[in-house]
């Protein structure tokens, strides 16, 4: 007899924080895929469970007494650095690494399956040590999942304004595909004058970090590919926000030779911040690798400094 194949989700326990019919329906949907779950009703129970049981993913369902962001934040402060999913129909401001899923059990289970598969792939031994293409692919796939989640939320509710949200998310997916193709090619063939302030504003909107202070003091235009310039700035702003904390201040400014993005966070540390996979705090370490790739594709010089925080200067 041919042995049964082990589920790809085996030994991946999901902690579900929620109560009522929605939590039970989600558990049932996950069980159909062989995903083991532990369900608790409150944040204190969740923290106690995380301390006692190995968990691959933390899921918080809208409707519990605590704010979702507080649950994920409390888990992180206790040293539990694991991916998270918030299940709910209303958009929330969530910490980095936490994805929102639609309220429906099957749709939420689909997002959870994707996160578990992505985590398993990230934990696997790489075919080539420090493969930059793999690191880039991981970064792109993560952002693609975030925008796909926004599209799912929009079409799940099927109400007027959400149609435009779905269109925006799908437009961004197409843009990401174009950006990935350009970065993979390693060169930029068509450039045009781009307002640095406009590109920086678009980049800050993509990051969506209202707690951080993002200040744009730029009046120059840059000869660049517009989408790639915005992607470069987006990665720099996101890197500053994710590593600098909620109260970090990020500044985008003109310089005599080009422009700079600086913050008052902890800086880069002692390693090479542009090396693929380098991270001072356990992150993916791909964002600044993408920044360097975009700069090189434009024949720009890029310099990193620890100057009361982190500072990246682009010299065109």
């Amino acid at each position: 007899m041919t042995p049964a194949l082990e589920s790809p989700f085996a030994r991946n326990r999901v902690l579900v924080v929620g109560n009522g019919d929605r939590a039970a329906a989600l558990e049932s949907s996950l069980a159909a895929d062989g995903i083991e779950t532990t369900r608790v009703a409150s944040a204190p129970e969740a923290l106690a469970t995380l301390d006692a049981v190995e968990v691959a993913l933390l899921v918080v369902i809208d409707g519990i007494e605590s704010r979702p962001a507080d649950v994920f934040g409390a888990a992180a402060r206790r040293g539990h650095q694991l991916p998270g999913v918030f299940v709910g129909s209303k958009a929330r401001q969530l910490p980095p690494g936490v994805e929102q899923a639609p309220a429906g059990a099957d749709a939420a289970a689909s997002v959870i399956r994707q996160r578990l598969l992505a985590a398993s792939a990230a934990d696997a031994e790489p075919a080539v040590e420090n493969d930059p293409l793999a690191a880039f692919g991981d970064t792109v796939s993560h952002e693609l999942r975030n925008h796909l989640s926004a599209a799912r939320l929009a079409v799940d509710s099927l109400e007027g304004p959400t149609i435009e949200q779905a269109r925006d998310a799908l437009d961004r997916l197409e843009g990401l595909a174009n950006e990935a193709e350009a970065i993979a090619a390693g060169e930029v063939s068509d450039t045009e004058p781009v307002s640095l302030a406009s590109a920086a504003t678009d980049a800050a909107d993509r990051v969506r970090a209202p707690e951080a202070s993002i200040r744009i003091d730029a009046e120059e235009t840059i000869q660049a590919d517009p989408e790639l310039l915005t992607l470069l700035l987006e990665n720099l702003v996101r890197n500053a926000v994710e590593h600098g904390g909620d109260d970090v201040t990020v500044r985008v400014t003109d310089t005599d030779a080009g422009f700079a993005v600086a913050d008052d966070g902890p800086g880069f540390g002692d390693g090479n911040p542009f090396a693929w996979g380098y991270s001072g705090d356990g992150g993916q370490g791909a964002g600044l690798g993408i920044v360097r790739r975009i700069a090189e594709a434009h024949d720009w010089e890029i310099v990193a400094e620890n100057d009361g925080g982190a500072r990246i200067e682009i010299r065109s």
Side-chain angles (χ1 to χ4, degrees), residues 168-247:
D168 290 345
L170 294 172
D171 286 345
R172 179 67 186 121
L173 290 176
E174 184 177 3
L176 279 170
N178 293 336
E179 291 162 1
E181 185 177 19
I183 292 173
E187 60 183 6
V188 174
S189 56
D190 296 320
T191 63
E192 61 187 75
V194 183
S195 163
L196 181 60
S198 177
T201 299
D202 290 344
D205 288 343
R206 290 185 189 178
V207 174
R208 291 180 296 183
E211 295 86 353
S213 176
I214 301 174
R215 301 178 183 176
I216 300 171
D217 183 17
E219 299 178 355
E220 298 296 323
T221 59
I222 305 294
Q223 194 70 23
D225 178 295
E227 283 297 321
L228 291 182
L229 175 60
T230 302
L231 182 63
L232 177 148
L233 291 165
E234 176 187 355
N235 275 280
L236 289 177
V237 172
R238 177 176 287 112
N239 188 75
V241 169
E242 291 186 350
H243 299 294
D246 289 346
D247 58 350

Side-chain angles (χ1 to χ4, degrees), residues 261-284:
V261 178
D263 66 66
D264 56 2
F268 295 120
D270 298 328
N272 175 11
F274 299 118
W276 286 94
Y278 172 80
S279 174
D281 59 3
Q284 288 182 334

Side-chain angles (χ1 to χ4, degrees), residues 23-40:
L26 179 59
E27 275 195 303
S28 178
S29 186
L30 293 173
D33 285 317
I35 300 173
E36 295 185 47
T37 59
T38 296
R39 177 154 58 105
V40 298

